[in-house]
Amino acid sequence: MLLKILVGFLCGATAVATENNTAHQGPVPLLLVSFDGFRADYLQRFPMPNLKLLYSQGVLVEQLTNVFITKTFPNHYSLVTGLYAESHGILASSMYDPVSHKHFTTSNDTDPMWWSEAQPLWLTALDSGYKTAAMMWPGSDVVNRTATHFLPYNSDVTFQQRLGNMTKWLLGNEKEQGVMFAALYWEEPDRSGHMFGPDNNTAMGKALKEVDDNIGLLMSELNRTGLWGRINVLITSDHGMAQCSADRLIRLDDCLHPDNYTQVDLTPVAALIPNKDPKAVFDLLNKCHPHMTAYVKKAIPDRLHYRNNERIQPIILIADEGWTIVHRKTDKLPRLGDHGYDNSLPSMHPFLAATGPSFRQGYRISSLQSVDIYPLMCHLLSVPAQPNNGTLTQARCMLAAETCWDVPLMVGLVVGVLLVLTTITFLFRFLSYRRPSGPRPFQRLQVDDDDDDPLLE
């Protein structure tokens, strides 16, 4: 009976969730906005009145665990594919492909070969019959892989100008329907974080005020055009930022001569190809510096999801948080702030805020995987998700049409109740068994008539 109660409870929870999901209305347009380098704890360190107003009407995910390496291109492509870097193939800002012998840099990034291992959401939504748009999102201007509307990256175009184009695309006109999925990119506070470092409260405070003003402009423009409340809005970032210092430099020429390797990428994750004996090169790098860890490709930890791709080089070096890898003793610190470090570090984590008719109001989640955003967006748009590394299990709790059950908690409560009931039943039976017996009731003796009774003799 107790088992039936538990099964019935869980089945009832599933039925309620299914009923709510069935009641969900048709999809509405979705706008994804990324503010590059927005470290999660900036929300606590600096006043952000417009952003806080936005997520007070929706959902805040306090920290996103992003993908390794924690760089701009890998993480922006993960946001729109739901894949780890090893799966979508955009592994770093600088790459070398051993098959084609091509080199990738952020200024030489439009060759479709690099991006063809995954399909971004603007293409998946196109396949479902929707119009889509991408404003300077990494990978969005690649030949034959563009959205309906797109603009290649140009840092001279202001946020207001980018937003103006985006709202026009969302609204549509007499000739063309509005887009259903749009992605908008802005390069701050990443630029200021590199220049001044995240610990510079004065400089970062100014940068974050400009970001918050832009969020206010976004809300105002959506209100003015009648889009506010009629579309879903996701505001997020790709990575955080760590403070660096000239006192924390790792010089490779202290360990081996540059003739021994070919550098593909340098810091804070260096990718190297040994020119000579690979084992000898690795042994020297492995003992190079206490704040740098060397890995041969096959030994890269599983949790980093950064091993199963031919573009990952034979040796990678990962600097500890805040340390910078350089070549020579004469090299100086290139940036006061940097990112790319281990994605388990809180300093590398961004955030997520969401609002719109599909989202709960005033709801918070402490953490989420960034690869979970892709299946969430596919669910919101009712488009079939491509194979991905994300899951809707936790992300669906953000949705107004879903009843979110904390399954481990609920199962724990039910099991706890069952244990209490079982204990009470056992104690009741035990006490009943041990209860002392009272006086025996009267019982007439049966006398055999054939027996002689000596008392009558």
Side-chain angles (χ1 to χ4, degrees), residues 79-390:
L79 286 170
V80 293
T81 63
L83 294 168
Y84 299 124
E86 69 175 4
S87 299
H88 62 55
I90 304 301
L91 299 158
S93 301
S94 299
M95 294 185 288
Y96 170 72
D97 184 80
V99 177
S100 65
H101 304 292
K102 293 181 178 180
H103 291 267
F104 175 99
T105 65
T106 55
S107 58
N108 179 30
D109 62 350
T110 56
D111 187 334
M113 181 207 75
W114 297 105
W115 306 89
S116 61
E117 294 184 15
Q119 185 179 89
L121 184 52
W122 58 76
L123 293 182
T124 304
L126 272 176
D127 292 341
S128 294
Y130 294 142
K131 302 291 185 182
T132 61
M135 175 61 71
M136 305 188 190
W137 197 273
S140 63
D141 59 345
V142 176
V143 178
N144 297 324
R145 298 181 64 81
T146 61
T148 310
H149 307 281
F150 74 98
L151 283 179
Y153 181 70
N154 182 350
S155 61
D156 293 332
V157 180
T158 66
F159 183 85
Q160 186 172 7
Q161 291 169 328
R162 299 182 198 189
L163 178 61
N165 279 288
M166 189 59 73
T167 51
K168 288 179 183 177
W169 294 337
L170 284 164
L171 287 167
N173 52 42
E174 299 82 5
K175 297 180 180 179
E176 190 174 69
Q177 66 185 101
V179 303
M180 280 294 289
F181 172 70
L184 171 62
Y185 169 82
W186 182 244
E187 47 271 273
E188 285 283 14
D190 181 75
R191 186 164 50 190
S192 295
H194 283 306
M195 188 177 302
F196 303 106
D199 291 352
N200 187 325
N201 288 334
T202 301
M204 294 312 300
K206 180 180 178 181
L208 269 297
K209 182 184 184 305
E210 292 177 356
V211 167
D212 192 64
D213 288 345
N214 284 333
I215 293 172
L217 181 64
L218 167 67
M219 298 167 67
S220 176
E221 185 69 5
L222 293 179
N223 262 310
R224 185 188 68 81
T225 56
L227 290 169
W228 184 259
R230 291 173 44 212
I231 69 170
N232 292 315
V233 180
L234 297 177
I235 294 181
T236 188
S237 184
D238 50 352
H239 55 72
M241 189 72 65
Q243 185 71 36
C244 299
S245 168
D247 297 327
R248 296 194 294 270
L249 295 180
I250 302 167
R251 297 177 174 89
L252 292 183
D253 69 350
D254 286 347
C255 308
L256 76 168
H257 194 276
D259 291 346
N260 290 301
Y261 64 90
T262 299
Q263 172 203 318
V264 175
D265 202 6
L266 185 57
T267 192
V269 178
L272 307 179
I273 304 172
N275 294 338
K276 300 178 181 178
D277 182 357
K279 185 179 184 304
V281 171
F282 174 77
D283 288 343
L284 289 171
L285 291 169
N286 193 37
K287 298 179 290 185
C288 182
H289 199 281
H291 291 284
M292 182 180 76
T293 305
Y295 293 102
V296 293
K297 182 175 180 177
K298 65 181 181 180
I300 298 172
D302 290 341
R303 67 176 182 82
L304 296 178
H305 302 286
Y306 201 77
R307 188 171 61 212
N308 300 311
N309 195 291
E310 59 192 4
R311 296 173 189 167
I312 297 171
Q313 303 310 321
I315 296 175
I316 69 165
L317 312 173
I318 304 177
D320 287 352
E321 181 179 16
W323 287 79
T324 302
I325 303 172
V326 296
H327 283 297
R328 294 166 291 274
K329 293 181 180 180
T330 56
D331 289 350
K332 297 181 180 179
L333 180 71
R335 295 168 168 177
L336 280 172
D338 210 354
H339 54 88
Y341 301 96
D342 193 317
N343 64 328
S344 66
L345 296 169
S347 63
M348 292 297 102
H349 293 170
F351 77 105
L352 172 68
T355 188
S358 298
F359 291 101
R360 301 172 70 173
Q361 292 192 11
Y363 186 69
R364 286 197 179 208
I365 298 178
S366 60
S367 62
L368 194 70
Q369 300 289 320
S370 66
V371 291
D372 295 343
I373 296 176
Y374 171 79
L376 173 66
M377 294 191 295
C378 290
H379 178 79
L380 290 169
L381 293 171
S382 297
V383 302
Q386 296 294 305
N388 64 87
N389 300 120

Side-chain angles (χ1 to χ4, degrees), residues 36-58:
D36 196 333
F38 197 126
R39 181 169 144 168
D41 69 353
Y42 288 164
L43 278 171
Q44 286 74 51
R45 290 174 51 195
F46 303 101
M48 305 287 294
N50 291 311
L51 179 54
K52 290 180 179 178
L53 176 62
L54 183 143
Y55 67 69
S56 70
Q57 302 175 39

